[in-house]
Amino acid sequence: MEASKVIHAIYTDDDVLMSAVKKVKAEKHHIEEIYTPFPVHGLDKAMGLAPTRLAITSFLYGCLGLAVAITMMNFIMIEDWPQNIGGKPSFSFLENLPAFVPIMFEMTVFFAAHLMVITFYLRSRMWPFKNAENPDPRTTDDHFLMEIPVHNNEAALQELLQETGAVEINIVEKDAH
């Protein structure tokens, strides 16, 4: 495991952080990560991050839930053990479809929601008993931290970050995983 240097620039205002990100990206520096106490809208676009594909997976999970609901209701209520409930015929799925719509909706939402939470945690590498990777506990309260790798340009980076309004600049050794 090799260690590399990174600069941690700390900001106290999200608007100052946003303009700092734009200036740092304009100078062609790579921003490794930004830690914030709350979501900063537009930060992903300013950092140049690719759009997420989580919405596509959510749609697919919803389709899976719908398919499971249809299969489950058809097997239980039509094929396996048909019952006359309230005078409804039990020999056709399509004739009972209006009664099955709420179940299909709920299973679609159930599968999409639960599988999206699992996908988000796996994609974010946030599994149980994992140690926190937050480099500064103040970023959970009211500070913002921008992490930039250093490649023999410490002085220029420090000067640029000072100009952008950073209230604190630290050079730290970071373990590469």
Side-chain angles (χ1 to χ4, degrees):
M1 204 177 344
E2 72 179 54
S4 60
K5 287 184 178 179
V6 293
I7 287 186
H8 287 169
I10 297 177
Y11 298 87
T12 55
D13 184 71
D14 56 331
D15 293 328
V16 175
L17 171 75
M18 186 66 93
S19 65
V21 167
K22 292 174 183 174
K23 288 178 187 173
V24 168
K25 291 304 280 185
E27 295 288 328
K28 306 286 189 236
H29 294 289
H30 172 69
I31 299 172
E32 187 68 34
E33 189 66 72
I34 296 180
Y35 299 90
T36 64
F38 54 83
V40 178
H41 299 289
L43 188 58
D44 52 344
K45 189 174 279 190
M47 287 178 64
L49 298 177
T52 180
R53 295 184 301 271
L54 285 176
I56 297 168
T57 59
S58 180
F59 175 75
L60 294 176
Y61 293 153
C63 290
L64 176 66
L66 181 63
V68 167
I70 290 170
T71 305
M72 177 189 73
M73 289 182 302
N74 186 56
F75 178 75
I76 292 171
M77 298 301 293
I78 306 301
E79 294 176 19
D80 185 45
W81 195 358
Q83 299 176 51
N84 185 349
I85 300 173
K88 293 185 176 96
S90 58
F91 52 84
S92 168
F93 182 83
L94 289 177
E95 286 181 326
N96 286 324
L97 190 61
F100 293 156
V101 167
I103 298 166
M104 293 188 301
F105 172 76
E106 292 299 332
M107 289 290 280
T108 301
V109 172
F110 179 86
F111 269 67
H114 286 79
L115 292 175
M116 278 306 300
V117 168
I118 293 168
T119 300
F120 173 76
Y121 282 134
L122 291 175
R123 180 69 181 93
S124 301
R125 293 181 171 86
M126 291 172 35
W127 33 80
F129 310 111
K130 182 176 188 248
N131 292 329
E133 295 180 2
N134 192 347
D136 192 328
R138 294 178 293 177
T139 60
T140 62
D141 187 23
D142 61 351
H143 286 63
F144 304 85
L145 186 143
M146 183 189 317
E147 185 176 275
I148 305 171
V150 175
H151 304 291
N152 297 325
N153 57 352
E154 294 175 29
L157 265 175
Q158 282 183 318
E159 184 179 327
L160 173 64
L161 293 170
Q162 200 70 44
E163 290 173 11
T164 63
V167 295
E168 186 179 321
I169 300 172
N170 302 314
I171 299 176
V172 296
E173 296 287 330
K174 182 176 181 182
D175 292 332
H177 297 280

